Amino acid sequence: MIAAMETQPQVHPQAQPLSIPARPELTGGRRVGVLLSHGFTGSPASMRPWGERLAARGYAVEVPRLPGHGTSWQDLNTVGWSQWRDALDETLEELAARCDAVVLAGLSMGGALVLRLAADHADDPRVAGVVVVNPALATKRLDVRLLPVLKHVVPSFPGIVNDIKRPGTDEHGYHRTPLKAAHSMMRAWPGVVADLPRIAVPLLYLRSTVDHVVDDSTEPLVMDRISSPDRTLVRLEDSYHVATLDNDAQRIVEETLRFLERVTAPAR
């Protein structure tokens, strides 16, 4: 038993999941939940301030730690897209079971994952909307074509962590990018893009005008392909990729609160 316990990866204190129950007395009597997903090589630390602000307004908040994150990049290289998707799906089911409505939200790869969930749960009336911040579903980088070979030769590349304009801010992510995990993520992109037309719920898309991690190829894919006519695009003028911790964090909160109130209001 002792040996088994010693092999468990140690989770960074800042990477612990966040779970806060609903306070329906603050949301018109309805229990409304928000599922927040962090990005690739990141952790719940990048979503915690966003989640805490939403919880302060009465919304139930769940920020799970995706498998392989918050420990070491080597751990991340042992898992992939299906495990991340399944972890979010399990969290969604648990959250929806105790809420009247749920909104899915994610940053970067987390944005791609919640779009995947929204497509998979297109017939679930409990899913009321989707919020994405700098989601990743495509790239113009040509070197990714080499990932099927490189991942067997080189375990990792330099990391993409802390693309944040505000000085002194740390997202507590990995400083190496594990290539097997990266390839798993990118192989899943075409399937998500193909199923985007299944998404008919309202979408709030928040996009940094300067992003050194995700280029501009994802935005038109999402905005043009989802079937929902309720699509809102907001430009974040003062943040880089990890906008949830950057200078536009307050605007993200405000836009999300307006979106939540609108899309989860009871039908009249």
Side-chain angles (χ1 to χ4, degrees):
M1 178 64 72
I2 294 176
M5 293 178 60
E6 291 175 348
T7 62
Q8 295 298 315
Q10 185 172 359
V11 179
H12 192 283
Q14 297 293 332
Q16 296 295 335
L18 178 68
S19 179
I20 303 176
R23 297 174 61 192
E25 69 274 14
L26 300 179
T27 53
R30 300 192 80 209
R31 295 183 181 274
V32 177
V34 185
L35 170 58
L36 297 169
S37 177
H38 64 79
F40 183 65
T41 73
S43 78
S46 63
M47 314 301 281
R48 183 175 293 273
W50 189 10
E52 289 175 341
R53 293 294 301 277
L54 299 181
R57 298 292 289 269
Y59 296 101
V61 170
E62 291 292 334
V63 185
R65 179 179 63 87
L66 298 178
H69 292 80
T71 54
S72 70
W73 68 261
Q74 292 90 343
D75 287 335
L76 185 53
N77 239 356
T78 66
V79 294
W81 178 269
S82 62
Q83 287 97 329
W84 307 323
R85 190 266 173 203
D86 289 349
L88 283 188
D89 193 65
E90 181 178 343
T91 303
L92 170 59
E93 290 297 332
E94 293 173 352
L95 182 60
R98 61 180 191 270
C99 291
D100 301 306
V102 174
V103 167
L104 310 174
L107 166 69
S108 194
M109 182 185 76
L113 283 164
V114 298
L115 289 168
R116 175 73 271 167
L117 259 62
D120 291 344
H121 291 265
D123 298 325
D124 190 339
R126 299 172 300 179
V127 177
V130 183
V131 181
V132 292
V133 180
N134 298 326
L137 281 175
T139 183
K140 296 178 181 178
R141 290 182 55 168
L142 298 179
D143 57 353
V144 301
R145 299 178 183 178
L146 301 175
L147 279 179
V149 174
L150 283 176
K151 69 179 184 179
H152 297 295
V153 179
V154 182
S156 68
F157 275 173
I160 54 174
V161 71
N162 287 339
D163 187 35
I164 303 172
K165 186 176 183 179
R166 182 161 58 189
T169 306
D170 188 353
E171 66 169 311
H172 299 286
Y174 296 152
H175 291 271
R176 302 293 300 181
T177 298
L179 298 193
K180 289 181 181 178
H183 186 224
S184 174
M185 172 183 67
M186 293 178 183
R187 282 188 304 176
W189 286 349
V192 181
V193 172
D195 286 341
L196 287 174
R198 298 180 59 188
I199 300 176
V201 294
L203 171 74
L204 173 61
Y205 194 124
L206 299 133
R207 175 69 177 143
S208 297
T209 54
V210 178
D211 186 333
H212 303 101
V213 177
V214 174
D215 60 44
D216 58 4
S217 55
T218 293
E219 181 186 315
L221 288 176
V222 176
M223 297 300 288
D224 294 344
R225 289 175 181 257
I226 69 167
S227 61
S228 174
D230 189 340
R231 291 169 284 188
T232 304
L233 177 63
V234 175
R235 300 290 183 194
L236 304 176
E237 304 284 349
D238 198 25
S239 297
Y240 295 157
H241 182 63
V242 192
T244 54
L245 297 178
D246 216 329
N247 296 316
D248 290 299
Q250 177 60 27
R251 186 174 186 193
I252 292 173
V253 170
E254 292 170 355
E255 295 285 351
T256 305
L257 287 170
R258 280 194 287 269
F259 183 78
L260 285 167
E261 184 174 357
R262 179 170 66 84
V263 304
T264 66
R268 295 182 178 179

